[in-house]
């Protein structure tokens, strides 16, 4: 039981951010995260170590989130953009960061769930394409194609280099 509590503590915030970017419905986020952690608890014996533990857990969360989206097909609410802590930013820097964050969040929301997932896992959870393919249950080439289209869409919306935004 202590091991599960430690696992929950380690992965809860990252999993919550991941799920929030997928479902964008505050009422579903915690439900999906809790359902995911319940499956991890119940199926821990089935984890065979073929991938990283986080990859296995994010794959479960992805499938749970996709099912939740299918169940709740009404219009989605805007997600709250999360501010990242900075070392003593000036008021101007805070304003610029907040504006850029809002522009990026809006652009990310215009992506399909699959494209958002690929970008999210790549840039915010630092997974490689092989891990993302395992999470999403698709071939690596599909992940590469989704990333190509997501980047192209974001570049069109945001202008400049994607690295300037992420």
């Amino acid at each position: 039981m202590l091991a599960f509590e430690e696992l929950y503590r380690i992965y809860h915030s990252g999993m919550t951010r991941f799920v929030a970017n997928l479902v964008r419905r505050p009422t579903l986020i915690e439900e999906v995260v809790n359902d995911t952690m319940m499956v991890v608890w119940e199926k821990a014996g089935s984890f065979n170590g073929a991938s990283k533990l986080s990859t296995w857990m994010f794959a479960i969360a992805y499938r749970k989130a996709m099912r939740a989206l299918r169940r709740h097909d009404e219009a989605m609410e805007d997600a709250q953009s999360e501010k990242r802590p900075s070392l003593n930013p000036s008021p101007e820097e805070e304003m610029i960061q907040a504006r850029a964050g809002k522009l990026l969040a809006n652009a990310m929301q215009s992506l399909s769930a699959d494209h958002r997932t690929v970008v999210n896992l790549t840039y915010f959870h630092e997974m490689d394409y092989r891990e993302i393919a395992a999470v999403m249950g698709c071939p690596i080439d599909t992940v590469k194609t989704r990333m190509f289209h997501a980047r192209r869409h974001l570049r069109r919306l945001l202008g400049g280099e994607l690295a300037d935004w992420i």
Side-chain angles (χ1 to χ4, degrees), residues 6 12 28 48 85 107 110 154 157:
E6 182 69 12
H12 183 266
L28 290 179
N48 60 13
S110 71
L154 290 173
L157 289 176

Side-chain angles (χ1 to χ4, degrees), residues 36-69:
T36 299
M37 295 308 284
M38 183 60 75
V39 170
V40 168
W41 172 253
E42 291 172 347
K43 304 288 184 184
S46 69
F47 175 67
N48 60 13
S51 63
K52 293 192 314 190
L53 177 62
S54 60
T55 302
W56 180 68
M57 291 174 65
F58 276 87
I60 294 167
Y62 175 75
R63 288 190 301 276
K64 290 284 184 188
M66 292 298 105
R67 280 189 208 110
L69 283 175

Side-chain angles (χ1 to χ4, degrees), residues 5 28 42 69 77 84 92 108 128 134 160:
E5 288 175 16
L28 290 179
E42 291 172 347
L69 283 175
E77 299 169 5
R84 291 190 176 144
E92 289 174 1
M108 288 285 291
D128 61 34

